[in-house]
Amino acid sequence: LNEVIISRGEFLQTLGFGGYDALHLACAEASGAKVLFTTDDKFLRRAQKNHEVIEVTVVNPLDWMQNDEAL
């Protein structure tokens, strides 16, 4: 963790993400990840609601695998 990731995590918390989810998402963004997989429905809903300000796609792995375009 560094100050940029912590700061981004704090911002994501203001959007309603829990502390660990916010840091998980901030780390994924900082690493340049294109996709973050989760089966946490609350996390998925929050990410979908705020997709305009999130720099990584958050998706359920089952949905990802069923989407022909993703493969």
Side-chain angles (χ1 to χ4, degrees):
L1 295 177
N2 59 39
E3 290 183 30
V4 172
I5 292 172
I6 292 170
S7 177
R8 178 67 173 165
E10 290 171 346
F11 168 73
L12 292 168
Q13 280 186 290
T14 68
L15 301 177
F17 290 96
Y20 289 116
D21 288 339
L23 282 177
H24 190 184
L25 186 52
C27 286
E29 290 178 343
S31 74
K34 303 249 187 259
V35 178
L36 186 153
F37 293 115
T38 183
T39 57
D40 183 332
D41 290 333
K42 184 177 176 183
F43 184 43
L44 284 164
R45 283 191 304 272
R46 183 77 55 201
Q48 289 169 351
K49 179 181 176 184
N50 294 288
H51 72 275
E52 306 89 18
V53 295
I54 295 174
E55 300 170 11
V56 64
T57 300
V58 179
V59 64
N60 183 302
L62 293 175
D63 293 339
W64 180 264
M65 294 300 293
Q66 292 174 348
N67 181 354
D68 290 339
E69 295 175 17
L71 300 175

Coordinates of all heavy atoms in Angstrom, one line a residue:
L1 N 0.8 -1.2 0.0 CA 0.0 0.0 0.0 C 0.9 1.2 0.0 O 2.0 1.2 0.6 CB -0.9 0.0 1.2 CG -2.0 -1.1 1.3 CD1 -2.7 -0.9 2.7 CD2 -2.9 -1.1 0.2
N2 N 0.4 2.3 -0.7 CA 1.1 3.6 -0.6 C 0.0 4.7 -0.4 O -1.2 4.4 -0.4 CB 1.9 3.8 -1.9 CG 1.0 3.7 -3.2 OD1 -0.1 4.2 -3.2 ND2 1.6 3.1 -4.2
E3 N 0.4 5.9 -0.4 CA -0.5 7.0 -0.1 C -1.5 7.2 -1.2 O -2.7 7.5 -0.9 CB 0.3 8.3 0.1 CG 1.1 8.3 1.4 CD 1.8 9.7 1.6 OE1 1.3 10.7 1.1 OE2 2.9 9.6 2.2
V4 N -1.2 6.9 -2.4 CA -2.1 7.0 -3.5 C -3.2 6.0 -3.4 O -4.4 6.3 -3.6 CB -1.4 6.9 -4.9 CG1 -2.4 6.8 -6.0 CG2 -0.4 8.0 -5.1
I5 N -2.9 4.8 -3.1 CA -3.9 3.7 -3.0 C -4.8 4.0 -1.8 O -6.0 3.8 -1.8 CB -3.2 2.3 -2.9 CG1 -2.5 2.0 -4.2 CG2 -4.2 1.2 -2.4 CD1 -1.7 0.7 -4.2
I6 N -4.2 4.4 -0.7 CA -4.9 4.7 0.5 C -5.9 5.8 0.3 O -7.1 5.8 0.7 CB -4.0 4.9 1.7 CG1 -3.3 3.6 2.1 CG2 -4.8 5.5 2.9 CD1 -2.2 3.8 3.1
S7 N -5.4 6.9 -0.4 CA -6.3 8.0 -0.7 C -7.5 7.6 -1.6 O -8.6 8.0 -1.4 CB -5.5 9.1 -1.4 OG -6.3 10.2 -1.7
R8 N -7.2 6.8 -2.6 CA -8.2 6.3 -3.5 C -9.2 5.4 -2.7 O -10.4 5.5 -2.9 CB -7.6 5.5 -4.7 CG -8.6 4.9 -5.6 CD -9.3 6.0 -6.4 NE -10.1 5.4 -7.5 CZ -11.1 5.9 -8.1 NH1 -11.3 7.2 -7.9 NH2 -11.8 5.3 -9.0
G9 N -8.7 4.6 -1.9 CA -9.6 3.8 -1.0 C -10.5 4.6 -0.2 O -11.7 4.3 0.0
E10 N -10.0 5.7 0.4 CA -10.8 6.6 1.2 C -11.9 7.2 0.4 O -13.0 7.3 0.8 CB -9.9 7.6 1.9 CG -9.0 7.0 3.0 CD -8.0 8.0 3.5 OE1 -7.8 9.1 2.9 OE2 -7.4 7.7 4.6
F11 N -11.5 7.6 -0.9 CA -12.5 8.2 -1.8 C -13.6 7.1 -2.1 O -14.8 7.4 -2.0 CB -11.9 8.6 -3.1 CG -12.9 8.9 -4.1 CD1 -13.7 10.1 -4.0 CD2 -13.1 8.1 -5.2 CE1 -14.7 10.3 -5.0 CE2 -14.1 8.3 -6.2 CZ -14.9 9.5 -6.1
L12 N -13.2 5.9 -2.4 CA -14.2 4.8 -2.7 C -15.1 4.5 -1.5 O -16.3 4.2 -1.7 CB -13.4 3.6 -3.1 CG -12.7 3.7 -4.5 CD1 -11.8 2.5 -4.7 CD2 -13.7 3.9 -5.6
Q13 N -14.6 4.7 -0.3 CA -15.4 4.5 0.9 C -16.5 5.6 0.9 O -17.6 5.3 1.4 CB -14.6 4.6 2.2 CG -13.9 3.3 2.5 CD -13.2 3.4 3.8 OE1 -12.2 4.1 4.0 NE2 -13.7 2.7 4.8
T14 N -16.2 6.8 0.4 CA -17.3 7.8 0.4 C -18.4 7.5 -0.5 O -19.5 8.0 -0.5 CB -16.7 9.2 0.0 OG1 -16.3 9.2 -1.3 CG2 -15.6 9.6 0.9
L15 N -18.1 6.5 -1.5 CA -19.2 6.1 -2.4 C -20.0 4.9 -1.8 O -20.9 4.4 -2.5 CB -18.5 5.6 -3.7 CG -17.7 6.7 -4.5 CD1 -17.1 6.1 -5.7 CD2 -18.6 7.9 -4.8
G16 N -19.6 4.5 -0.6 CA -20.3 3.4 0.1 C -19.7 2.1 0.1 O -20.2 1.1 0.7
F17 N -18.5 1.9 -0.4 CA -17.7 0.7 -0.3 C -17.2 0.5 1.1 O -16.8 1.5 1.7 CB -16.5 0.7 -1.3 CG -16.9 0.6 -2.7 CD1 -17.0 1.7 -3.5 CD2 -17.2 -0.6 -3.3 CE1 -17.4 1.6 -4.9 CE2 -17.5 -0.7 -4.7 CZ -17.6 0.4 -5.4
G18 N -17.2 -0.7 1.6 CA -16.6 -1.0 2.9 C -15.1 -0.8 2.8 O -14.5 -0.7 1.7
G19 N -14.4 -0.7 3.9 CA -13.0 -0.4 4.0 C -12.2 -1.4 3.2 O -11.3 -1.0 2.4
Y20 N -12.4 -2.7 3.4 CA -11.6 -3.7 2.7 C -11.9 -3.7 1.2 O -11.0 -3.9 0.3 CB -11.8 -5.1 3.3 CG -11.2 -5.3 4.6 CD1 -11.9 -5.5 5.8 CD2 -9.8 -5.2 4.8 CE1 -11.4 -5.6 7.0 CE2 -9.2 -5.3 6.1 CZ -10.0 -5.5 7.2 OH -9.4 -5.7 8.4
D21 N -13.2 -3.6 0.9 CA -13.6 -3.6 -0.6 C -13.0 -2.4 -1.3 O -12.5 -2.5 -2.4 CB -15.1 -3.6 -0.7 CG -15.8 -4.9 -0.3 OD1 -15.0 -5.9 -0.4 OD2 -17.0 -4.9 -0.1
A22 N -13.0 -1.2 -0.6 CA -12.4 0.0 -1.2 C -10.9 -0.2 -1.4 O -10.4 0.2 -2.5 CB -12.7 1.2 -0.3
L23 N -10.2 -0.8 -0.5 CA -8.8 -1.0 -0.7 C -8.5 -2.1 -1.8 O -7.6 -1.9 -2.6 CB -8.1 -1.4 0.6 CG -7.8 -0.3 1.6 CD1 -7.2 -0.8 2.9 CD2 -6.9 0.8 0.9
H24 N -9.3 -3.1 -1.8 CA -9.2 -4.1 -2.8 C -9.4 -3.5 -4.2 O -8.6 -3.7 -5.1 CB -10.3 -5.2 -2.6 CG -10.1 -6.4 -3.4 ND1 -11.0 -7.4 -3.3 CD2 -9.2 -6.8 -4.3 CE1 -10.7 -8.4 -4.2 NE2 -9.6 -8.0 -4.8
L25 N -10.4 -2.7 -4.4 CA -10.7 -2.0 -5.6 C -9.6 -1.0 -6.0 O -9.1 -1.0 -7.1 CB -12.0 -1.3 -5.6 CG -12.6 -0.7 -6.8 CD1 -12.6 -1.6 -8.0 CD2 -14.0 -0.2 -6.5
A26 N -9.1 -0.3 -5.0 CA -8.0 0.7 -5.2 C -6.7 0.0 -5.7 O -6.0 0.5 -6.6 CB -7.8 1.6 -4.0
C27 N -6.4 -1.1 -5.1 CA -5.2 -1.9 -5.4 C -5.4 -2.5 -6.9 O -4.4 -2.5 -7.6 CB -5.0 -3.1 -4.5 SG -4.4 -2.5 -2.9
A28 N -6.6 -2.9 -7.2 CA -6.8 -3.4 -8.6 C -6.6 -2.3 -9.6 O -6.0 -2.5 -10.6 CB -8.2 -4.0 -8.7
E29 N -7.1 -1.2 -9.3 CA -6.9 0.0 -10.2 C -5.5 0.3 -10.3 O -5.0 0.5 -11.4 CB -7.7 1.2 -9.7 CG -9.2 1.1 -9.8 CD -10.0 2.3 -9.2 OE1 -9.4 3.1 -8.5 OE2 -11.1 2.4 -9.6
A30 N -4.8 0.4 -9.2 CA -3.4 0.8 -9.2 C -2.5 -0.2 -10.0 O -1.5 0.2 -10.5 CB -2.9 1.0 -7.8
S31 N -2.9 -1.5 -10.0 CA -2.1 -2.5 -10.6 C -2.4 -2.5 -12.1 O -1.7 -3.2 -12.9 CB -2.4 -3.9 -10.0 OG -3.7 -4.3 -10.5
G32 N -3.4 -1.8 -12.6 CA -3.7 -1.8 -14.0 C -4.6 -2.9 -14.4 O -4.8 -3.2 -15.6
A33 N -5.2 -3.6 -13.4 CA -6.2 -4.7 -13.7 C -7.3 -4.2 -14.6 O -7.8 -3.0 -14.4 CB -6.7 -5.3 -12.5
K34 N -7.7 -5.0 -15.5 CA -8.9 -4.6 -16.4 C -10.2 -5.1 -15.7 O -11.2 -4.5 -15.9 CB -8.7 -5.3 -17.7 CG -7.5 -4.9 -18.4 CD -7.8 -4.0 -19.6 CE -6.5 -3.7 -20.4 NZ -6.0 -2.4 -20.2
V35 N -10.1 -6.3 -15.0 CA -11.3 -6.9 -14.4 C -11.0 -7.3 -13.0 O -9.9 -7.8 -12.7 CB -11.7 -8.1 -15.2 CG1 -12.9 -8.8 -14.6 CG2 -12.0 -7.8 -16.6
L36 N -12.0 -7.1 -12.1 CA -11.9 -7.6 -10.7 C -13.1 -8.5 -10.5 O -14.2 -8.1 -10.7 CB -12.0 -6.4 -9.7 CG -11.8 -6.7 -8.3 CD1 -11.2 -5.5 -7.5 CD2 -13.0 -7.2 -7.6
F37 N -12.8 -9.8 -10.2 CA -13.9 -10.8 -10.0 C -14.3 -10.8 -8.5 O -13.5 -10.8 -7.6 CB -13.4 -12.2 -10.4 CG -13.1 -12.3 -11.8 CD1 -11.9 -12.6 -12.3 CD2 -14.1 -12.2 -12.8 CE1 -11.6 -12.7 -13.7 CE2 -13.9 -12.4 -14.1 CZ -12.6 -12.6 -14.6
T38 N -15.6 -10.9 -8.3 CA -16.2 -11.0 -7.0 C -17.5 -11.7 -7.1 O -18.2 -11.6 -8.1 CB -16.3 -9.7 -6.3 OG1 -16.8 -9.9 -4.9 CG2 -17.3 -8.8 -6.9
T39 N -17.8 -12.5 -6.0 CA -19.2 -13.0 -5.9 C -20.0 -12.3 -4.8 O -21.1 -12.7 -4.5 CB -19.1 -14.6 -5.6 OG1 -18.3 -14.7 -4.3 CG2 -18.4 -15.3 -6.7
D40 N -19.5 -11.2 -4.3 CA -20.1 -10.4 -3.3 C -21.1 -9.5 -4.0 O -20.8 -8.5 -4.7 CB -19.1 -9.6 -2.6 CG -19.6 -8.7 -1.5 OD1 -20.8 -8.3 -1.5 OD2 -18.9 -8.4 -0.5
D41 N -22.4 -9.8 -3.9 CA -23.5 -9.1 -4.5 C -23.5 -7.6 -4.1 O -23.8 -6.8 -5.0 CB -24.8 -9.8 -4.3 CG -25.0 -11.1 -5.0 OD1 -24.4 -11.3 -6.0 OD2 -25.8 -11.9 -4.5
K42 N -23.3 -7.3 -2.9 CA -23.3 -6.0 -2.4 C -22.2 -5.2 -3.1 O -22.4 -4.0 -3.6 CB -23.2 -5.9 -0.9 CG -23.3 -4.5 -0.3 CD -23.2 -4.5 1.2 CE -23.2 -3.1 1.8 NZ -23.1 -3.2 3.2
F43 N -21.0 -5.8 -3.2 CA -19.9 -5.1 -3.8 C -20.2 -4.9 -5.3 O -19.9 -3.8 -5.9 CB -18.6 -6.0 -3.6 CG -17.4 -5.4 -4.1 CD1 -17.0 -4.1 -4.0 CD2 -16.4 -6.2 -4.8 CE1 -15.8 -3.6 -4.4 CE2 -15.2 -5.8 -5.2 CZ -14.9 -4.4 -5.1
L44 N -20.8 -5.9 -6.0 CA -21.1 -5.8 -7.4 C -22.1 -4.7 -7.6 O -21.9 -3.9 -8.6 CB -21.7 -7.1 -7.9 CG -20.7 -8.3 -8.1 CD1 -21.5 -9.6 -8.2 CD2 -19.9 -8.0 -9.4
R45 N -23.1 -4.6 -6.8 CA -24.1 -3.5 -7.0 C -23.5 -2.2 -6.8 O -23.8 -1.2 -7.5 CB -25.3 -3.7 -6.0 CG -26.3 -4.8 -6.4 CD -27.5 -4.8 -5.5 NE -27.3 -4.9 -4.1 CZ -27.2 -6.1 -3.5 NH1 -27.3 -7.2 -4.1 NH2 -26.9 -6.1 -2.2
R46 N -22.7 -2.0 -5.8 CA -22.0 -0.7 -5.5 C -21.1 -0.4 -6.7 O -21.1 0.8 -7.1 CB -21.2 -0.8 -4.2 CG -20.6 0.5 -3.8 CD -21.5 1.5 -3.2 NE -22.2 0.9 -2.1 CZ -23.4 1.3 -1.6 NH1 -23.9 2.4 -2.1 NH2 -24.0 0.7 -0.6
A47 N -20.4 -1.3 -7.2 CA -19.5 -1.1 -8.4 C -20.3 -0.7 -9.6 O -19.9 0.2 -10.3 CB -18.6 -2.3 -8.6
Q48 N -21.4 -1.4 -9.8 CA -22.3 -1.0 -11.0 C -22.8 0.4 -10.9 O -22.9 1.1 -11.8 CB -23.4 -2.1 -11.2 CG -22.8 -3.4 -11.6 CD -23.9 -4.5 -11.5 OE1 -24.9 -4.4 -11.0 NE2 -23.5 -5.7 -12.1
K49 N -23.3 0.7 -9.7 CA -23.8 2.0 -9.4 C -22.8 3.1 -9.7 O -23.2 4.2 -10.1 CB -24.3 2.1 -8.0 CG -24.9 3.4 -7.6 CD -25.4 3.5 -6.2 CE -25.9 4.8 -5.8 NZ -26.2 4.9 -4.4
N50 N -21.5 2.9 -9.4 CA -20.5 3.9 -9.5 C -19.5 3.6 -10.6 O -18.4 4.1 -10.6 CB -19.7 3.9 -8.2 CG -20.6 4.4 -7.1 OD1 -20.9 5.6 -7.0 ND2 -21.0 3.5 -6.2
H51 N -20.0 2.9 -11.7 CA -19.0 2.5 -12.7 C -18.4 3.7 -13.5 O -17.3 3.5 -14.0 CB -19.8 1.6 -13.8 CG -20.8 2.3 -14.6 ND1 -22.1 2.6 -14.2 CD2 -20.6 2.9 -15.8 CE1 -22.7 3.2 -15.1 NE2 -21.9 3.4 -16.1
E52 N -19.0 4.8 -13.4 CA -18.4 6.0 -14.1 C -17.1 6.4 -13.5 O -16.2 7.0 -14.2 CB -19.3 7.2 -14.1 CG -20.7 6.9 -14.6 CD -21.7 6.5 -13.6 OE1 -21.4 6.6 -12.4 OE2 -22.7 5.9 -13.9
V53 N -16.9 6.2 -12.2 CA -15.7 6.6 -11.5 C -14.7 5.5 -11.1 O -13.7 5.8 -10.5 CB -16.0 7.5 -10.3 CG1 -16.8 8.8 -10.7 CG2 -16.8 6.7 -9.3
I54 N -15.1 4.3 -11.5 CA -14.2 3.1 -11.2 C -13.4 2.8 -12.5 O -14.0 2.7 -13.6 CB -15.1 2.0 -10.7 CG1 -15.7 2.3 -9.4 CG2 -14.2 0.7 -10.6 CD1 -16.7 1.3 -8.9
E55 N -12.1 2.5 -12.3 CA -11.2 2.3 -13.4 C -11.0 0.9 -13.8 O -10.2 0.5 -14.6 CB -9.9 3.0 -13.1 CG -10.0 4.5 -12.9 CD -8.8 5.1 -12.3 OE1 -7.7 4.4 -12.3 OE2 -8.8 6.3 -11.9
V56 N -11.8 0.0 -13.2 CA -11.7 -1.5 -13.5 C -13.1 -2.0 -13.5 O -14.0 -1.5 -12.9 CB -10.9 -2.1 -12.4 CG1 -11.5 -2.1 -11.0 CG2 -10.6 -3.6 -12.7
T57 N -13.3 -3.0 -14.4 CA -14.6 -3.7 -14.5 C -14.8 -4.7 -13.3 O -13.9 -5.5 -13.1 CB -14.8 -4.4 -15.8 OG1 -14.6 -3.5 -16.9 CG2 -16.1 -5.1 -15.9
V58 N -15.9 -4.6 -12.6 CA -16.1 -5.5 -11.5 C -17.2 -6.4 -11.9 O -18.3 -5.9 -12.3 CB -16.5 -4.7 -10.2 CG1 -16.8 -5.7 -9.0 CG2 -15.4 -3.7 -9.8
V59 N -17.0 -7.7 -11.9 CA -18.0 -8.6 -12.4 C -17.9 -10.0 -11.7 O -16.9 -10.3 -11.1 CB -17.7 -8.9 -13.9 CG1 -16.4 -9.5 -14.2 CG2 -18.8 -9.6 -14.6
N60 N -19.1 -10.6 -11.6 CA -19.1 -12.0 -11.1 C -18.5 -12.9 -12.1 O -18.7 -12.9 -13.3 CB -20.6 -12.4 -10.9 CG -20.8 -13.7 -10.3 OD1 -20.3 -14.7 -10.8 ND2 -21.5 -13.7 -9.2
P61 N -17.6 -13.8 -11.6 CA -16.9 -14.7 -12.5 C -17.8 -15.6 -13.3 O -17.5 -15.9 -14.5 CB -16.0 -15.5 -11.6 CG -16.4 -15.3 -10.2 CD -17.2 -14.0 -10.2
L62 N -18.9 -16.0 -12.8 CA -19.9 -16.8 -13.6 C -20.5 -16.0 -14.7 O -20.6 -16.6 -15.8 CB -21.0 -17.4 -12.7 CG -20.5 -18.4 -11.6 CD1 -21.7 -18.8 -10.7 CD2 -20.0 -19.6 -12.3
D63 N -20.8 -14.8 -14.5 CA -21.3 -13.9 -15.5 C -20.3 -13.7 -16.6 O -20.6 -13.7 -17.8 CB -21.8 -12.6 -15.0 CG -23.0 -12.7 -14.1 OD1 -23.7 -13.7 -14.1 OD2 -23.2 -11.8 -13.2
W64 N -19.0 -13.5 -16.2 CA -17.9 -13.3 -17.1 C -17.8 -14.5 -18.0 O -17.6 -14.4 -19.2 CB -16.6 -13.1 -16.3 CG -15.4 -12.9 -17.2 CD1 -14.5 -13.8 -17.5 CD2 -15.0 -11.6 -17.8 NE1 -13.5 -13.2 -18.3 CE2 -13.8 -11.9 -18.5 CE3 -15.6 -10.4 -17.8 CZ2 -13.2 -10.9 -19.2 CZ3 -14.9 -9.4 -18.5 CH2 -13.7 -9.7 -19.2
M65 N -17.8 -15.7 -17.5 CA -17.6 -16.9 -18.2 C -18.8 -17.2 -19.2 O -18.6 -17.8 -20.3 CB -17.5 -18.2 -17.3 CG -16.2 -18.1 -16.5 SD -14.7 -18.1 -17.5 CE -14.7 -19.7 -18.3
Q66 N -20.0 -16.7 -18.9 CA -21.2 -16.9 -19.7 C -21.3 -15.9 -20.8 O -22.1 -16.1 -21.7 CB -22.4 -16.9 -18.9 CG -22.5 -18.1 -17.9 CD -23.7 -18.0 -17.0 OE1 -24.4 -17.0 -16.9 NE2 -24.0 -19.2 -16.3
N67 N -20.5 -14.9 -20.7 CA -20.5 -13.8 -21.7 C -19.5 -14.2 -22.9 O -18.3 -14.1 -22.7 CB -20.1 -12.5 -21.1 CG -20.2 -11.3 -22.1 OD1 -20.4 -11.5 -23.3 ND2 -20.0 -10.2 -21.5
D68 N -20.0 -14.5 -24.0 CA -19.2 -14.9 -25.2 C -18.2 -13.8 -25.6 O -17.1 -14.1 -26.0 CB -20.0 -15.3 -26.4 CG -20.8 -16.5 -26.2 OD1 -20.5 -17.4 -25.4 OD2 -21.8 -16.7 -26.9
E69 N -18.5 -12.6 -25.4 CA -17.6 -11.5 -25.8 C -16.4 -11.4 -24.9 O -15.4 -10.9 -25.2 CB -18.4 -10.2 -25.8 CG -19.5 -10.1 -26.8 CD -20.3 -8.8 -26.7 OE1 -19.8 -7.9 -26.1 OE2 -21.4 -8.8 -27.3
A70 N -16.6 -11.9 -23.7 CA -15.5 -11.8 -22.7 C -14.4 -12.8 -22.9 O -13.3 -12.7 -22.5 CB -16.0 -12.0 -21.3
L71 N -14.7 -13.9 -23.6 CA -13.7 -15.0 -23.8 C -12.8 -14.8 -25.0 O -12.8 -14.1 -25.8 CB -14.5 -16.3 -24.0 CG -15.3 -16.7 -22.8 CD1 -16.1 -18.0 -23.1 CD2 -14.4 -16.9 -21.6

